[in-house]
């Protein structure tokens, strides 16, 4: 009688590396801000949208590649109440 090892190792799945672009901006006005941001970020895969009222900063994390982050930053910079947009 031959013993068969019934323990199997879990298959290794390859998870593609996520590409994230983080936009940071100074905020001076908050009324209606999220609605204006939503219009500008409509086609993008937004994973995080955080507004800190204490420090007056906005953080937006967009997943994916193939878009022009500089163009998105320029669009955000045109929103009333959003200043000094940067991205990494």
């Amino acid at each position: 009688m031959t013993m068969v090892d019934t323990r199997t190792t879990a298959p290794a799945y390859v998870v593609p590396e996520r590409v994230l672009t983080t936009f940071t901006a100074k905020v001076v006005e908050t009324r209606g801000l999220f609605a204006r941001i939503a219009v500008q970020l409509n086609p993008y895969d937004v994973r995080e949208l955080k507004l800190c009222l204490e420090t007056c900063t906005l953080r937006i994390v967009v997943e994916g590649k193939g878009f022009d982050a500089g163009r998105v930053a320029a669009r955000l910079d045109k929103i009333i109440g959003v200043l000094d947009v940067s991205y990494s």
Side-chain angles (χ1 to χ4, degrees):
M1 180 173 178
T2 306
M3 296 293 286
V4 177
D5 187 4
T6 57
R7 294 176 294 160
T8 58
T9 58
Y13 294 102
V14 177
V15 178
E17 185 175 323
R18 293 172 45 179
V19 177
L20 301 174
T21 303
T22 302
F23 297 88
T24 307
K26 181 174 179 166
V27 177
V28 294
E29 189 271 333
T30 58
R31 190 174 202 158
L33 183 65
F34 285 124
R36 293 192 300 270
I37 291 170
V39 168
Q40 295 299 322
L41 296 176
N42 184 16
Y44 303 106
D45 191 4
V46 177
R47 292 298 177 176
E48 180 181 334
L49 183 59
K50 185 190 303 183
L51 176 63
C52 179
L53 297 176
E54 227 173 74
T55 61
C56 295
T57 55
L58 172 68
R59 175 182 160 90
I60 302 168
V61 177
V62 177
E63 184 173 355
K65 56 184 173 181
F67 67 91
D68 184 354
R71 184 175 175 183
V72 175
R75 292 172 85 184
L76 291 171
D77 206 23
K78 291 181 180 180
I79 297 173
I80 295 171
V82 176
L83 306 172
D84 303 325
V85 178
S86 62
Y87 62 92
S88 59

